[in-house]
Amino acid sequence: MTERRLPRWSELRPYLRTKPLSRTAVERRLAGAADIADLRDIARRHMPRAVFDYVDGAAETESSLRRSREAFGRVEFAPSVLRDVSSVDPSTTILGQRAALPLIFAPTGFTRLMHHEGEPAVARVAERTGIPYTLSTMGTTSPEDLAAAVPGAQKWFQLYLWRDRDASQALIERARAAGFTALMLTVDTPVAGSRLRDVRNGFSIPPALTARTLADIALHPGWWFDKLTTEPLTFASLGAWHGTIAEMIDKMFDSTLDYDDLAWLRRIWPGPLMVKGVQTVVDARAVSDVGVDALIVSNHGGRQLDRAPVPIEQLPAIADAVGGRVEVYVDGGIMNGGDVVAAVAMGARACLVGRAYLYGLMAGGEAGVQRAADLLRREIVRTMGLLGVTDVAGLTRDRARLRER
Ligand SMILES: Cc1cc2nc3c(=O)[nH]c(=O)nc-3n(C[C@H](O)[C@H](O)[C@H](O)COP(=O)(O)O)c2cc1C
């Protein structure tokens, strides 16, 4: 028979820990997010549906994105036990510069739509985290304004080459003058992908005032208040725009873009040049032959070609083919630091993330991006420790493989 007694106050006190009262609602929300998927859930609950879907969605049946995420679910690690992992160093070099993590913030258009703090907030977190930040040609902050707001960040510029080559060259020169050190040409967008969620939501920039929009204002007054009381959305390079995203993309993208253009870019851009959107070994070899410094195995986060090759599956063969000549990065579907560790073990020097930080931005502005970066860093360090690896050089090919199913 168990003897019962009344608990003493000193024994109860540890159960009654209260959360600090000074926290705002946003801080409490973010502190409760245990991973990037939680940040996504918060974002989904707090954002107008059309904005959340613009970020979260992908092209057509969304199979490219689904398969990328599913492939990371098939990673199997090979840990070593009985190793001293009391100090784990996840830093690396990216384009010759020290980076605190094998991670890069990917270019994402329209960032001020997700939160009025926009691109500068993301770049500030990149600077604090010690990783590069990439500003998109479709960014809603100009290269000059970004540089003025975050002078210490390591800044890269992502280029969509326009039909008007002189205008493109002028834009690149602006970026260079503003302190952007590397140029990333995106090549997986010869025409606009079809993102059906945007079509169904009637998504446009600026949002059209329809009955549905008015209903949304009632549901998400905070977002609309921020939108209407801060600087209107303008684009890094285009100025004001009135129309659908697909119409803008068709104006922005040049369907004639080819290897001659890449060679031209190589001639006029003196700094490191990267090509983003390589998906096969054949193209990886051809792009490397032009003399670029890095390539990104990417299908644009599944937002362009549906049923595209899965980047993490293509990575080992591409790294084997060109890794000795150029740096190889990968992106698409990364939601966890363990995904980054697996990609590095499978041949990537670094990974780009897009949605992972955008979910954070939507969930809580700059603090949400910081939460995303902190979660990724912790997951990277913990995974390396559990693998028995203390630095990125130890992330060799035998450390991770993709199971068949
Ligand atoms: C909302 C959004 C906007 C994007 N805009 C651009 C862009 O302007 N230029 C570009 O090269 N890639 C763009 N991308 C693709 C990202 O750079 C990156 O390749 C992709 O997000 C990686 O997949 P992940 O989101 O699963 O990490 C965008 C992605 C998202 C989600």
Side-chain angles (χ1 to χ4, degrees), residues 46-48 50-52 54-55 109-121 139-141 203-209 213 216-217 220-235 241 358 361-362 365:
H46 288 86
M47 294 300 284
V51 178
F52 176 79
Y54 170 66
V55 172
F110 313 112
T111 312
R112 276 203 295 123
L113 188 71
M114 292 79 178
H115 193 280
H116 66 275
E117 292 173 358
E119 288 88 356
T140 40
T141 305
F203 185 53
S204 65
I205 305 267
L209 273 188
T213 321
D216 197 74
I217 292 178
H220 305 98
W223 184 88
W224 283 96
F225 177 76
D226 278 347
K227 208 51 40 224
L228 297 172
T229 57
T230 53
E231 275 290 293
L233 287 186
T234 48
F235 293 93
W241 177 261
L358 289 177
L361 185 69
M362 293 190 289

Side-chain angles (χ1 to χ4, degrees), residues 34-49:
D35 62 8
I36 302 287
D38 285 351
L39 289 175
R40 176 180 179 273
D41 281 345
I42 297 171
R44 187 166 42 76
R45 285 200 303 274
H46 288 86
M47 294 300 284
R49 177 167 173 176

Side-chain angles (χ1 to χ4, degrees), residues 106-109 136 158 160 186 276 298 300-301 303 331-333 354-355 358:
T108 54
S136 163
Q158 177 267 325
Y160 285 125
T186 299
K276 174 169 179 278
S298 169
H300 214 106
R303 299 164 72 81
D331 78 12
R355 293 181 185 84
L358 289 177

Side-chain angles (χ1 to χ4, degrees), residues 51-57 65 68-69 72 104-111 114 134-139 158-160 184-189 195 252-253 276-277 296-304 311 330-335 352-359 362:
V51 178
F52 176 79
D53 276 350
Y54 170 66
V55 172
D56 194 58
L65 176 61
S68 293
R69 288 195 176 147
F72 281 112
I104 297 155
F105 279 166
T108 54
F110 313 112
T111 312
M114 292 79 178
T134 323
L135 178 68
S136 163
T137 297
M138 290 207 190
Q158 177 267 325
L159 182 71
Y160 285 125
M184 181 187 288
L185 176 70
T186 299
V187 296
D188 53 18
T189 45
R195 301 173 197 156
M252 293 278 271
F253 300 160
K276 174 169 179 278
I296 297 134
V297 185
S298 169
N299 60 31
H300 214 106
R303 299 164 72 81
Q304 284 294 114
V330 70
D331 78 12
I334 291 175
M335 291 285 281
L352 281 70
V353 288
R355 293 181 185 84
Y357 76 73
L358 289 177
Y359 293 139
M362 293 190 289

